[in-house]
Amino acid sequence: DIYLKIAPQADLKLLPVVMRHFPAGTSNRNLVHFGQGVRSGRTARFLPFSFPTRRQNWEAYGAEEPKEYSLKEVTCPVVLYWGEGDWLSQPRGVAAMAKLLPNLVKSVRVPHENWNHLDFLWGRDAASLLYSSVIKAIETFDRVAQDCNQCQQP
């Protein structure tokens, strides 16, 4: 029952498979890094992992504190997909980030009222509500890239 509140698009038949691999796909360092971002209290702020000591940061980054990534330097085309019910990447944070991306092609709300973070992977309707659109965007940009490569060849 709690699983359906966290992921209303969840297929309960997959729950045993999901739980056998949980929490796969991440590391302790990644979880700590996520917590650092939450603790900063700012949305759309991107910082590298901050090591426990200034010396470690200096060794990794050449500075005592990691420097914020500038999204203005993202030069590739970007399509953002987001869900209204996402409790990790909330809509206001996605909107703030979208304003910082110079080559944002579009920001796409997955057309489901409660679509959330887990639904991107485990949602019953992910294929029809999300994946087909993502594949279409990839194919579009792949064609554009191929056309550009052909133009640049002597």
Side-chain angles (χ1 to χ4, degrees):
D1 199 33
I2 187 75
Y3 188 67
L4 289 176
K5 290 181 182 179
I6 295 171
Q9 273 277 306
D11 182 346
L12 289 180
K13 291 181 226 155
L14 289 177
L15 186 57
V17 174
V18 173
M19 294 314 291
R20 272 196 303 271
H21 299 281
F22 184 80
T26 195
S27 65
N28 286 337
R29 178 174 161 164
N30 194 41
L31 291 172
V32 169
H33 188 212
F34 176 76
Q36 290 172 348
V38 170
R39 212 174 44 225
S40 77
R42 290 182 51 200
T43 58
R45 185 168 188 224
F46 292 92
L47 291 164
F49 178 79
S50 182
F51 289 94
T53 69
R54 291 175 182 230
R55 180 173 174 255
Q56 289 172 301
N57 282 332
W58 185 265
E59 289 171 0
Y61 309 119
E64 291 183 351
E65 298 291 327
K67 182 181 171 190
E68 186 169 352
Y69 294 122
S70 172
L71 293 181
K72 292 180 184 347
E73 294 179 28
V74 176
T75 58
C76 65
V78 175
V79 178
L80 295 176
Y81 291 91
W82 55 278
E84 196 67 45
D86 196 327
W87 35 269
L88 284 178
S89 300
Q90 297 177 359
R92 67 183 167 89
V94 175
M97 180 175 59
K99 290 178 185 176
L100 300 174
L101 290 164
N103 288 320
L104 179 69
V105 175
K106 62 182 170 177
S107 180
V108 180
R109 176 190 171 274
V110 177
H112 185 282
E113 183 179 324
N114 297 313
W115 194 265
N116 73 47
H117 210 75
L118 296 178
D119 294 332
F120 282 90
L121 183 59
W122 299 108
R124 281 189 310 268
D125 298 319
S128 62
L129 296 177
L130 174 66
Y131 300 160
S132 57
S133 175
V134 170
I135 291 168
K136 185 177 177 183
I138 291 169
E139 290 171 346
T140 298
F141 291 118
D142 186 49
R143 279 192 300 277
V144 169
Q146 287 175 10
D147 290 346
C148 288
N149 288 336
Q150 290 172 0
C151 293
Q152 294 174 1
Q153 294 177 0

